[in-house]
Amino acid sequence: MFLHESAGADEGDALNFDVSQSIRYESNLFRLADDERAPENKAHDTVSETGIGMKFDRHYGRQRLLADLNLVSARYAIHGDLDHDRPDAKLAWEWGLGDRWSGELSHAYRETLTGFDEAGGTRRNMNAYTRTHASADYWWHPRWAVGMGFAHTRSRFERSDADVAEFDADTVDVNLTYRPPTGNRVVLTLRDTEGEYPDRPEVTGSIRDYRQQEVRLGGEWRLSGATRVSGFIGRTRVSYRLAPERDFTGTIGRIGVVWDATAKTSVELSVRREIGARQDLAANYAVTEAVRLVPKWEVTDKVTLGAGLEWRRRDYRGDPELLGGGVVRERPADNSYRYGLTAEYRPLRALSFAFGVQRQVRDGSRSLSGYSANTADVSMRFRF
């Protein structure tokens, strides 16, 4: 559920392992409208997910090596054709050379089941996402650095009828970083991305390849002992070689504020407006706007209660649906809502139990059906 957080390695331990087990009930697994029929005429299901993970994090002088390896096995009580195993791995080397040079070399690979609210249909479709990144910064002053970065991203799908959504992208960053002794950080970034959807037709009107140019100001800043702000704001321009009438220029951003109201209560508020957000897997170039609110209450040292509310609007102006012969069909905007409650119990430092309930609703529109879905899950995680 979107309210849950992932767990990190224990501080002071270089190598950590964890095992997890969750049971999730879905009232509308395929996110279907009331008048749509589910396979076997059963829209509900119960999903069991078993996970194992390993995390390595150690410093060797100025060098830091990290490895985060996870595998989740999902099994469905009714719709067994959706059973799958999904790996998620990241390797990183944060390097340092003398007092002035630093950077990172990393590689990440993950497989996920494409959400039915994103892609529609009732068939399994796994996505394989790969990202390789390298960066270098030169600290010409204890507080200031200039640097560059390069990333190659690749996305592939299991089903052949999803080939039009597969893409490759190369991104180059130029950064100016300010880091005062307080630990805050501000980064000015110029970004240039060239991407291609290799299986889309190379005809007039097709958004087969694109170029995205951005300027953004981001970072993390502690405004006070109780308030922290992080994120970025900037301008972006997306241009299509074969469909210049679909070029987009606009403001983008993702701002998050965490306010520790008391020693045991906190509120997190985030606002975002993005183009091609990774969270919106099927809508690679939809314009996504979202607001999310998450309050938490640490009732005791072992019990934490939380709630969550999210509103999201997606405008598909940048990503029409491609039909045969290069013909396109417009896809409208849609609004969706998520809200729910969570509870976590930690009887031991290494052992935790969590429970959550959530409701999702999407408004219907001209060509996208609306739906409602209820979810409940219980999970256990043990770290050692």
Side-chain angles (χ1 to χ4, degrees), residues 85-306:
D85 301 319
R86 55 178 190 269
D88 187 341
K90 182 178 180 180
L91 303 175
W93 169 30
E94 296 181 359
W95 57 270
L97 183 62
D99 294 328
R100 297 188 179 274
W101 287 97
S102 65
E104 180 188 79
L105 180 64
S106 65
H107 180 76
Y109 175 85
R110 71 174 64 94
E111 294 182 13
T112 55
L113 177 67
T114 303
F116 295 107
D117 58 333
E118 305 286 355
T122 59
R123 295 169 53 197
R124 190 184 88 165
N125 188 22
M126 300 296 294
N127 172 257
Y129 179 85
T130 306
R131 185 176 187 268
T132 302
H133 173 257
S135 66
D137 292 302
Y138 176 71
W139 293 89
W140 48 275
H141 184 276
R143 300 186 181 188
W144 293 90
V146 292
M148 292 188 65
F150 172 80
H152 174 74
T153 304
R154 175 186 174 93
S155 178
R156 294 294 183 268
F157 289 91
E158 175 185 35
R159 282 168 39 188
S160 59
D161 57 354
D163 288 350
V164 293
E166 297 180 348
F167 71 91
D168 297 281
D170 292 321
T171 301
V172 176
D173 288 338
V174 177
N175 303 300
L176 174 64
T177 301
Y178 172 65
R179 187 180 62 188
T182 57
N184 298 321
R185 185 172 65 97
V186 178
V187 182
L188 177 65
T189 300
L190 302 179
R191 176 170 295 171
D192 191 351
T193 300
E194 292 189 356
E196 180 184 32
Y197 296 87
D199 291 302
R200 294 187 176 183
E202 192 167 359
V203 296
T204 301
S206 170
I207 53 176
R208 174 185 170 88
D209 51 71
Y210 66 93
R211 184 177 185 184
Q212 184 170 356
Q213 297 170 296
E214 297 179 14
V215 55
R216 59 169 65 183
L217 182 67
E220 301 93 32
W221 202 272
R222 181 174 286 276
L223 299 180
S224 67
T227 306
R228 306 182 301 278
V229 178
S230 63
F232 71 92
I233 188 169
R235 294 281 291 179
T236 189
R237 180 178 187 274
V238 183
S239 57
Y240 303 98
R241 178 174 60 90
L242 298 172
E245 70 280 1
R246 298 198 169 275
D247 292 356
F248 173 85
T249 301
T251 300
I252 58 172
R254 177 193 289 262
I255 303 296
V257 180
V258 178
W259 176 46
D260 296 323
T262 68
K264 292 183 175 293
T265 60
S266 65
V267 178
E268 178 184 345
L269 174 65
S270 62
V271 180
R272 64 183 173 101
R273 185 176 195 264
E274 297 175 314
I275 311 298
R278 176 72 180 98
Q279 293 86 341
D280 306 321
L281 188 60
N284 296 299
Y285 273 87
V287 179
T288 302
E289 299 171 342
V291 179
R292 182 170 179 259
L293 179 67
V294 180
K296 290 184 179 180
W297 176 30
E298 188 178 334
V299 183
T300 69
D301 292 340
K302 297 182 178 182
V303 178
T304 301
L305 301 180

Side-chain angles (χ1 to χ4, degrees), residues 22-26 29 44-48 75-79 376:
S22 69
I23 304 294
R24 184 177 75 253
Y25 172 77
E26 298 273 3
L29 177 65
H44 66 279
D45 209 337
T46 300
V47 188
S48 171
R75 296 296 179 263
Y76 292 72
I78 298 175
H79 304 284

Side-chain angles (χ1 to χ4, degrees), residues 53-72:
M54 182 199 77
K55 186 168 185 177
F56 177 82
D57 184 349
R58 172 167 288 180
H59 286 84
Y60 297 91
R62 297 180 182 272
Q63 318 305 312
R64 183 186 183 189
L65 298 181
L66 302 100
D68 197 351
L69 310 175
N70 301 276
L71 177 65
V72 174

